[in-house]
Amino acid sequence: MSDYAWLVPALPALSAVLIMVLGRLLPKKGAEIGIVAIAAALALSVGIAVEVFSANVDAAAAAPHGEEGGETDHAAADVQVASAGDVQVATAATDEHAEEEAGHGSGSGESSAAHAFVEERAVPWAVLGGGHVLELGMRVDGLTAMMFLLVTFVSLMVQVYSTGYMHGDPRYTYFFTLLSIFTASMLLLVISSNMIMVLMGWELVGVCSFLLIGFWWEEKENSSAAIKAFLTTKLGDVGLIIGVIVLWSMFRTFDISAILGAVEANVQAGGAPLNTGMLTFGLLALFFGAVGKSAQFPLHTWLPDAMAGPTPVSALIHAATMVTAGIFLVARLYPAYEHSPVALAVIAITGTITLLIAGLLALVQDDVKKVLAYSTISQLGYMVAALAFSYTAGIFHLFTHGFFKALLFLGAGSLIHAVHSNNMSDMGGLRKAMPITFWTFLIGSLALMAIPVFAGFWSKDEVLAGALSDAINNGSVTGWILVIAGSLGGMITAFYMTRVLWLVFAGPFRGHGHPHESGPAMAWPLLILAVPAALVGLINIPSAALHSKGFAAWTMFDLEYFGGHPAHFFWSLAIITTLLAFAGIGIGTLLYRQVPEREPMLRAWACSPNCW
């Protein structure tokens, strides 16, 4: 199935063209084309995931400690890169090696069993001169397979949901065209085997985000939000482009496998010793691009304003696609980042600052979508900080968060659709009027609060456990900082989501009209997303017995890293963070159970000087 992975981004790209040309002539105005295409892409993604994940589990079982296989892999990389005088030789060797590693899950002998699944295919695209060839290529591995599943599943739910939410909109066909292009762009970024294609997908995602945030451009607030998002992320993209140029200057190739192989071998182009200072500069420049795209401090301000777009767009952009692109970029180049302690320290500090600042800002929002937007920034901070200590922890939280945050955004859309207002001050008492929305929103909230045994509990615990393990074993100061800040951030998360639940679903209805439950097109995606929001975390239970068959084995990039980073579960840490989460729930309940007329979190701002 991995041979046909290129069809995963190609299908939604083709559907965008068909919707644009034929959409207005069809009964569903083109929505049916987009839904069928993304459903087919999801089915193909499942097949690819089965192939990749089963091969990785077999490899992990064959080399449970991974060190020997990893050393063999790095030795091979030494020969391929250090002896390669030009990029064509290095790339060819890497491609041949990747094919041997993949073996379609059924290779014979010790060679195929000793490597994580990596399959690469490429065709020449343009000649750059000096013997360098720019290629159109795909890289399929555990990270690709995981992202395929997440993006296609959430996109399918969003497109089905949108048939109800956007019904009657005059630009209905245009909306579904943009959704398909957006999904295709993200999938292109995910499958890319070289940095130029990554850059192409990255920029296409940004353009689509601009168009979708400003979809209702007639209102100045919406168009201004789109421009702000575009310009802020473009500032970060300057760093990304500089980083790509630096990597090219060092390795004379855009190929990701060749770059990672050279870094592992501690060499540059032509066999020169690796310049670690220049590598750190390039990686930090790339990370600055991730700061913009993934809304990290100080470039986080665009994302709350992006709520001006239609709510299905918020679910797609802020759950599984655009904002996770920066996390994906760091994860894709993770073996290189591991060679730069300075870059990892900057990543840890940036993520930790972001998770706390955004959590505090979520406390004082009245717009339910802005609460979720600041929550997203905070959770992205967890993912970024996690990557400084553990590859698996970072992408595992990315995976679980995509499901429950998509559920929460679509639940918010259901609320807005019913009461015709984004403000929680116009809601209240909706539990009985909207039971499906209430129960599914509650499940998403419990997952976000990291309450056992919901998805967020397992992934957030993995984040903090990775930091604590590094702090204990290596005396990492940043590890201790993340453990403390992350635990406090968990209590803040529980508090602001408890506030949302009481203000929206309890007390009397404070709005106008007669709210009612959303129709089947909007309700079914909520019910379906509630299942992974509750249960998907169980795929990575931190057990030594299950370590070689869980999420870490599925998505590993290297058996040496996998074997050297066994599963950790600190009971004391889990108990403390859970008690803090329940403390946040308790404080929120005490303040909001009566749904006060004046917002407790805003009283200080409205208080006169004499109050003090």
Side-chain angles (χ1 to χ4, degrees), residues 343-421:
L344 291 180
V346 171
I347 288 173
I349 294 169
T350 302
T352 303
I353 292 173
T354 302
L355 74 88
L356 273 179
I357 288 178
L360 292 171
L361 289 171
L363 295 174
V364 292
Q365 305 301 316
D366 186 39
D367 186 326
V368 65
K369 286 177 65 178
K370 286 195 174 182
V371 173
L372 297 179
Y374 280 112
S375 171
T376 299
I377 297 172
S378 180
Q379 298 307 307
L380 290 167
Y382 275 99
M383 298 173 208
V384 167
L387 286 172
F389 307 101
S390 170
Y391 164 83
T392 299
I395 64 171
F396 183 44
H397 197 49
L398 182 159
F399 187 65
T400 62
H401 176 266
F403 294 110
F404 60 73
K405 189 52 65 68
L407 172 61
L408 288 170
F409 268 114
L410 294 185
S414 180
L415 297 170
I416 294 167
H417 194 263
V419 304
H420 304 290
S421 172

Side-chain angles (χ1 to χ4, degrees), residues 215-385:
F215 183 77
W216 291 313
W217 63 75
E218 294 86 353
E219 297 182 27
K220 189 178 187 303
E221 179 184 359
N222 299 340
S223 60
S224 297
I227 293 171
K228 181 178 181 179
F230 186 80
L231 293 179
T232 305
T233 55
K234 290 309 107 181
L235 177 60
D237 290 354
V238 173
L240 178 70
I241 294 172
I242 291 173
V244 172
I245 293 172
V246 169
L247 292 183
W248 164 263
S249 69
M250 293 181 66
F251 304 108
R252 289 295 187 267
T253 179
F254 294 112
D255 184 79
I256 293 172
S257 291
I259 292 171
L260 296 181
V263 172
E264 291 292 336
N266 288 308
V267 295
Q268 294 181 195
L274 183 66
N275 185 333
T276 54
M278 185 61 71
L279 176 66
T280 295
F281 173 72
L283 294 176
L284 286 176
L286 290 173
F287 178 65
F288 190 66
V291 166
K293 195 73 81 180
S294 292
Q296 297 297 286
F297 176 84
L299 300 183
H300 64 286
T301 56
W302 68 269
L303 195 143
D305 291 339
M307 297 299 103
T311 301
V313 171
S314 302
L316 191 61
I317 291 177
H318 305 131
T321 51
M322 176 176 171
V323 293
T324 64
I327 315 298
F328 171 82
L329 177 65
V330 176
R332 172 56 76 211
L333 297 173
Y334 196 75
Y337 276 95
E338 279 201 308
H339 277 66
S340 176
V342 173
L344 291 180
V346 171
I347 288 173
I349 294 169
T350 302
T352 303
I353 292 173
T354 302
L355 74 88
L356 273 179
I357 288 178
L360 292 171
L361 289 171
L363 295 174
V364 292
Q365 305 301 316
D366 186 39
D367 186 326
V368 65
K369 286 177 65 178
K370 286 195 174 182
V371 173
L372 297 179
Y374 280 112
S375 171
T376 299
I377 297 172
S378 180
Q379 298 307 307
L380 290 167
Y382 275 99
M383 298 173 208
V384 167

